[in-house]
Amino acid sequence: MEYLIRFAQIHESFRRAELEALADLLHIHIVFSEYNQYSPHCIVVLPDEAAACALIQRSILSQGIYELWGSGSTYEELHGDIARRTSSQWRVYQSSSFKFEIQAFQIKRSLAEQAEIIQSLAYLGFQGPIQLKHPEQTFSIFEECEWGIKDPKRIHFGRFVSGSSRIILDKFTLKKRQYLSTTSMDSELALLTANLTQAAPGKLFYDPFVGTGSFSIACAHFGAVCMGSDIDGRAVRGKNGINIATNFQQYKLEDKSLDNFLADLTHTPLRQVRFLDGIICDPPYGVREGLKVLGSRDGGGKEVVWIDGQAAHLQDKYIPPKKPYSFERMLDDILDFAVESLVDRARLSLWMPTANDEEVELDIPTHPFLEVVSVCIQPFNKWSRRLLTYRRLRNDEVKLDQSFKPKLLGDGTTANDLNSFRRRYFEGFKAGP
């Protein structure tokens, strides 16, 4: 059965990836009959109405799903298609309360025009009461127009089936969150990332760059149990009694928070066993300050410093030494950690920046045991950031390519030497010679 999905006009490159991730999570077979990244609608084939409801009720970028009754390039074509597809269904809704609505994209219809369009559907023969609030059935006309051209290029008609999860955005907005930092991930993107990573009840998720817990909150909302770590102890501990734990308390998700701890990915206390159902992270880009990991620059140990008879490194206020870290090395380390920690078919989602004048596909980090599921792009001005989603392959699915080698990391000791994105950022992303 064909259904029409109405999208919110934001994050266009994420739409299909989200629907495919949710369909895979829910074991729903989905076929895209019509899809254009920049259209506000898409048409999909789903097994039944129950599948349509389950799919859309997890979606963040969709507004609703409709049973498709007809499509056409003109109203004459639309009416013919409605009669061909659904004439046998009209009597089912003949006595139901109902309303019609017109959703026009890139065009504004006057009340008189809307009334004329609705009257053209009188042949449906609905006899029930018109009820503008909480009707039993809502029927929608979707018009899609080119900018500045009044005649629609595509028209659809459908019966409303279900709304989406988009209504929760106000609940999770950062404007109302108790514990924040300047790098807290936008709540809409955090929830979207959780969908792409397939957070769900019975799963254990981990964020190795947890910060203030934006991803953990999003995954917990969808039922996953979450834990996180961060190299910055101030982010983990919080301030004045406000921290990641209080964010979970704010949303009554305490039972979904396992714990958070101080560590970096190269010095993790976690056992090297495959136990995670998802890894979700927005690693630091190293722009404001260079990337660092725990350790001394020379790699050697240091003498113990004693303060009031107690070793300094055992005191709460101790800040461990850090050394510069390569951005490319960090990405490879994330993938290596995912391969060692994720169970079969589990997902890794990570955000990474790129300059807009570079070929997007060339810089995507890869690993033989990880399949790239989707690449979604959030553009800014001269740079963009990409959400990369991977699936952990079963060992027997992997054919090791002898030509595969980790990235050559290059030499250098300064932040710019070790992070080509940081260097290009401060150069204004000027083209090279």
Side-chain angles (χ1 to χ4, degrees):
M1 184 177 293
E2 284 194 313
Y3 293 87
L4 180 143
I5 296 175
R6 177 69 163 92
F7 292 116
Q9 282 304 112
I10 191 169
H11 304 310
E12 291 85 354
S13 73
F14 294 71
R15 293 169 171 173
R16 181 163 181 160
E18 184 195 32
L19 293 174
E20 290 176 336
L22 293 178
D24 180 64
L25 171 66
L26 300 170
H27 307 292
I28 295 172
H29 181 65
I30 184 172
V31 176
F32 288 83
S33 298
E34 291 185 20
Y35 182 84
N36 183 308
Q37 179 174 309
Y38 301 104
S39 171
H41 321 110
C42 83
I43 297 175
V44 297
V45 178
L46 297 169
D48 51 38
E49 190 167 307
C53 291
L55 178 70
I56 214 67
Q57 286 170 5
R58 269 287 302 253
S59 175
I60 295 298
L61 294 183
S62 304
Q63 293 182 332
I65 193 166
Y66 299 76
E67 182 184 60
L68 184 65
W69 279 34
S71 298
S73 300
T74 65
Y75 273 97
E76 183 179 356
E77 287 183 12
L78 175 68
H79 295 316
D81 198 38
I82 292 173
R84 180 182 63 82
R85 287 173 180 255
T86 63
S87 58
S88 62
Q89 296 177 244
W90 299 350
R91 67 175 60 187
V92 176
Y93 306 104
Q94 197 167 30
S95 60
S96 301
S97 62
F98 70 97
K99 75 172 181 179
F100 286 98
E101 61 182 18
I102 296 177
Q103 300 190 37
F105 178 67
Q106 298 192 146
I107 188 176
K108 187 174 183 179
R109 291 290 187 185
S110 67
L111 292 177
E113 289 175 322
Q114 292 183 46
E116 182 180 355
I117 292 170
I118 292 171
Q119 285 300 321
S120 71
L121 294 162
Y123 59 85
L124 295 173
F126 298 151
Q127 302 298 318
I130 297 173
Q131 194 168 311
L132 299 182
K133 290 186 177 180
H134 311 298
E136 293 176 286
Q137 304 296 335
T138 298
F139 296 91
S140 295
I141 301 104
F142 301 92
E143 292 186 325
E144 185 176 353
C145 301
E146 297 287 357
W147 183 257
I149 300 176
K150 196 168 186 179
D151 292 331
K153 68 175 183 179
R154 194 75 172 140
I155 313 165
H156 306 284
F157 180 68
R159 180 181 66 86
F160 178 75
V161 173
S162 177
S164 70
S165 273
R166 197 164 178 79
I167 58 174
I168 67 172
L169 294 184
D170 181 65
K171 174 183 177 180
F172 288 99
T173 178
L174 296 185
K175 295 178 182 179
K176 299 179 181 179
R177 190 163 299 176
Q178 295 177 2
Y179 180 50
L180 290 174
S181 75
T182 55
T183 58
S184 294
M185 177 62 75
D186 169 73
S187 57
E188 181 175 12
L189 290 174
L191 290 161
L192 178 57
T193 308
N195 269 346
L196 289 171
T197 323
Q198 300 181 331
K203 291 188 175 184
L204 175 60
F205 269 53
Y206 172 57
D207 181 354
F209 308 94
V210 69
T212 59
S214 293
F215 286 132
S216 295
I217 292 292
C219 294
H221 167 72
F222 290 124
V225 173
C226 304
M227 65 177 183
S229 64
D230 204 290
I231 193 173
D232 187 352
R234 296 167 298 180
V236 175
R237 289 189 291 267
K239 187 176 182 180
N240 299 325
I242 304 297
N243 51 36
I244 301 173
T246 58
N247 279 346
F248 274 86
Q249 293 167 11
Q250 178 182 348
Y251 299 111
K252 297 180 172 54
L253 294 170
E254 301 98 314
D255 61 325
K256 303 300 181 187
S257 176
L258 188 60
D259 208 347
N260 299 285
F261 53 92
L262 179 61
D264 73 53
L265 204 61
T266 63
H267 296 81
T268 178
L270 298 175
R271 295 175 60 193
Q272 289 188 355
V273 294
R274 298 176 59 193
F275 70 107
L276 294 174
D277 299 295
I279 299 172
I280 183 170
C281 61
D282 181 25
Y285 307 154
V287 172
R288 290 183 300 170
E289 58 178 319
L291 295 173
K292 295 180 180 180
V293 291
L294 297 177
S296 58
R297 287 178 176 267
D298 59 12
K302 303 293 182 183
E303 292 185 5
V304 176
V305 176
W306 298 87
I307 301 177
D308 297 330
Q310 184 181 14
H313 65 276
L314 298 178
Q315 298 185 10
D316 290 340
K317 295 182 179 180
Y318 175 73
I319 300 176
K322 301 179 181 69
K323 61 182 179 180
Y325 189 35
S326 160
F327 182 73
E328 289 79 7
R329 175 64 179 271
M330 176 185 67
L331 296 176
D332 283 345
D333 284 345
I334 293 172
L335 267 58
D336 288 341
F337 177 81
V339 169
E340 295 172 356
S341 304
L342 290 174
V343 300
D344 289 342
R345 317 306 290 172
R347 292 193 172 200
L348 158 70
S349 287
L350 70 92
W351 288 84
M352 65 170 288
T354 183
N356 287 343
D357 60 351
E358 295 176 345
E359 287 292 334
V360 171
E361 297 295 337
L362 295 179
D363 292 329
I364 295 174
T366 59
H367 194 287
F369 286 81
L370 294 171
E371 174 189 7
V372 178
V373 177
S374 62
V375 179
C376 305
I377 303 172
Q378 182 188 20
F380 295 106
N381 184 11
K382 294 183 179 181
W383 68 286
S384 303
R385 61 179 177 181
R386 296 172 289 179
L387 175 57
L388 309 179
T389 302
Y390 302 82
R391 180 189 294 115
R392 176 49 161 103
L393 298 174
R394 299 192 311 270
N395 290 346
D396 60 7
E397 294 179 293
V398 179
K399 295 181 179 179
L400 290 177
D401 183 353
Q402 298 299 320
S403 65
F404 173 80
K405 295 180 180 178
K407 280 194 180 85
L408 295 176
L409 303 179
D411 298 323
T413 56
T414 69
N416 280 353
D417 290 339
L418 295 169
N419 188 341
S420 59
F421 176 79
R422 183 180 196 270
R423 182 177 66 253
R424 299 200 64 199
Y425 183 93
F426 286 111
E427 290 173 352
F429 297 105
K430 297 176 182 177

